[in-house]
Amino acid sequence: MRFAVDAHAIGRHQTGNEVYIRSLLNAFASQARDCEFVAYVSTDTARDVLPAGIRTSRVAANPFRRLGLDLAMRLRQDRPDLLHVQYTAPVGCPTPVVVSVHDVSFLEHPEYFTRDRALQLRWTVRRTVRRAAKVLTGCEFSKQSILRAYSELDEKKVVVVPYAAAPEFRPLPREAAQAAVLDRFSVSGPFILTVGDLQPRKNQIGLIRAFARLVRAYPQIKHKLALAGKDTWFAGRVREAARQSGVADRIHFFGFVSDDDLLRLYNACDLFAFPSFYEGFGLPALEAMACGRAVVCSSTSALPEVVDGAAILTDPYSVDEIARAMADLLLDSELRIRMERLGLRRAALFNWQNTAKRTLEVFHEVAERPALAVETVGSSSMARR
């Protein structure tokens, strides 16, 4: 069978979406010998990071051209048995669609998005999930959120397929990782790490305030705070919060970092803090645990399900609670070591090979249906709106 994948996110610093589709394609190539894969990419660098067994075809980076013209044209040329997309299928799609919807934060918390982006996702994702043959998501929390948002969906149409930390994320010798961080980012001494684009739902402002409170309450703690993640429309407010914190000299912004740098940052930090307001899965927490780091994360959305007792949970709206959790881990070495061990065990339960296997099962189920039983995303559905 031939399966097509919209892989335009690869090489475009789209963080979670990029990690997901790249990891999935790598795992497909290692286990699906009887299938052919076509990845539709938007950058030359995407070809460099995909396995040789994955055929690539270029589509426009511009979403209007990609979704309105390029993908439909490529699909008619390649004639795959299905197309896999994230969130949004192309207009006039001539083939069955499987869509991955990682979360519906754009519906539940539109304030985390620009107005135009929230409206765009509201319309295009609804159109896609209604017509898709299957909807994939990473955890039970997100499945239930999707079913609440799109109440017309049959529950069996939404399938939970858990994600995983990439195998590259693993424990490294601590001193070597710290030396690499010093050389690459000029940061010496102990630090707390957080990872994520500078955007409202990641709660970096709350973390900065909690860090300032931690430093004032426990002067013996000499740690810095390191933020890894690209700037967005919200970045100015996060940086201003750091300037106003009273501890700006101990706060470092690294911007977008490569996977190699991220591996070393995880291994060099003393703890990983992830007080996000909303996560559809929370992959950075799992990556940090896979590197052997103790984790402080939110007690909301998908995170309790994903970490399952292997992290210290806090109320993301409570600056005091976040500060107290970080202090507990930094000042109690036995607690920190225990959480590191629990995190390693928890992360080991997630595996991209298992994710790929289950995803391929869904692909085959959809592709082997009688043709008349499969709804496609077509231009006729748009005309009725």
Side-chain angles (χ1 to χ4, degrees):
M1 285 192 169
R2 178 180 296 160
F3 299 133
V5 177
D6 180 359
H8 76 275
I10 298 178
R12 299 183 60 208
H13 296 177
Q14 295 192 359
T15 56
N17 289 349
E18 179 174 355
V19 170
Y20 170 78
I21 205 64
R22 188 182 66 221
S23 300
L24 200 56
L25 284 167
N26 282 325
F28 283 164
S30 67
Q31 63 177 263
R33 305 297 183 188
D34 59 337
C35 300
E36 180 186 353
F37 294 93
V38 182
Y40 298 123
V41 300
S42 297
T43 66
D44 290 333
T45 56
R47 294 186 171 98
D48 299 332
V49 300
L50 290 176
I54 303 290
R55 178 162 68 88
T56 60
S57 182
R58 189 69 177 262
V59 293
N62 180 288
F64 297 102
R65 179 169 177 176
R66 185 183 76 252
L67 295 169
L69 178 64
D70 281 8
L71 279 172
M73 183 173 66
R74 297 288 185 272
L75 290 167
R76 287 184 172 89
Q77 292 171 349
D78 295 328
R79 300 179 63 84
D81 293 285
L82 65 77
L83 171 68
H84 178 220
V85 302
Q86 295 184 81
Y87 291 104
T88 304
V91 175
C93 184
T95 190
V97 169
V98 172
V99 59
S100 289
V101 177
H102 307 306
D103 66 67
V104 289
S105 55
F106 55 91
L107 293 175
E108 296 187 333
H109 294 281
E111 68 273 16
Y112 298 157
F113 298 79
T114 62
R115 181 176 178 273
D116 288 348
R117 179 62 171 161
L119 287 172
Q120 176 255 308
L121 287 168
R122 181 185 294 270
W123 182 76
T124 60
V125 178
R126 178 174 290 277
R127 174 180 65 86
T128 301
V129 300
R130 280 179 169 178
R131 302 305 189 269
K134 288 288 184 180
V135 179
L136 306 181
T137 196
C139 65
E140 188 63 32
F141 166 82
S142 290
K143 175 178 179 176
Q144 295 306 318
S145 297
I146 291 167
L147 291 171
R148 284 195 304 272
Y150 307 109
S151 57
E152 68 274 20
L153 293 184
D154 183 338
E155 183 175 357
K156 294 179 181 178
K157 184 174 178 176
V158 185
V159 181
V160 174
V161 184
Y163 314 143
E168 291 78 13
F169 291 107
R170 65 197 188 282
L172 296 178
R174 191 72 178 283
E175 290 184 2
Q178 291 170 338
V181 169
L182 175 60
D183 180 64
R184 178 73 175 81
F185 299 103
S186 301
V187 173
S188 61
F191 65 93
I192 299 164
L193 177 67
T194 191
V195 172
D197 293 352
L198 303 186
Q199 58 173 290
R201 73 181 176 95
K202 298 298 184 180
N203 194 24
Q204 287 105 344
I205 291 177
L207 178 59
I208 287 168
R209 290 171 178 165
F211 176 71
R213 196 159 298 183
L214 173 76
V215 169
R216 288 193 296 268
Y218 302 95
Q220 71 271 38
I221 291 178
K222 304 301 181 184
H223 288 66
K224 301 176 176 69
L225 176 63
L227 297 92
K230 70 179 181 182
D231 284 1
T232 71
W233 60 276
F234 191 72
R237 292 181 59 179
V238 178
R239 292 177 182 275
E240 181 61 23
R243 285 191 289 270
Q244 299 296 326
S245 67
V247 291
D249 60 320
R250 292 169 67 168
I251 300 175
H252 300 268
F253 291 89
F254 295 155
F256 177 84
V257 300
S258 68
D259 284 352
D260 285 344
D261 285 335
L262 188 55
L263 170 63
R264 286 161 179 80
L265 285 167
Y266 280 137
N267 276 276
C269 72
D270 276 2
L271 69 87
F272 180 73
F274 199 57
S276 182
F277 291 126
Y278 186 103
E279 291 293 328
F281 188 80
L283 197 53
L286 207 60
E287 291 171 346
M289 290 193 293
C291 292
R293 295 280 67 82
V295 172
V296 170
C297 68
S298 300
S299 58
T300 61
S301 61
L303 286 165
E305 178 183 346
V306 172
V307 301
D308 193 29
I312 303 296
L313 300 180
T314 66
D315 178 356
Y317 296 94
S318 172
V319 169
D320 283 340
E321 199 169 313
I322 298 168
R324 191 179 313 117
M326 292 192 295
D328 287 345
L329 285 172
L330 293 175
L331 297 174
D332 187 339
S333 60
E334 290 186 4
L335 174 63
R336 186 170 66 251
I337 291 169
R338 182 163 65 88
M339 298 311 298
E340 289 172 351
R341 289 173 178 165
L342 288 173
L344 278 169
R345 290 180 199 151
R346 179 61 180 167
L349 298 177
F350 297 82
N351 185 290
W352 273 111
Q353 294 299 323
N354 293 337
T355 301
K357 179 181 178 183
R358 181 67 184 105
T359 303
L360 284 171
E361 289 172 353
V362 174
F363 284 7
H364 282 283
E365 177 187 343
V366 170
E368 291 165 10
R369 288 181 182 179
L372 293 177
V374 178
E375 292 183 290
T376 60
V377 182
S379 55
S380 61
S381 67
M382 295 180 62
R384 292 194 295 271
R385 288 183 176 273

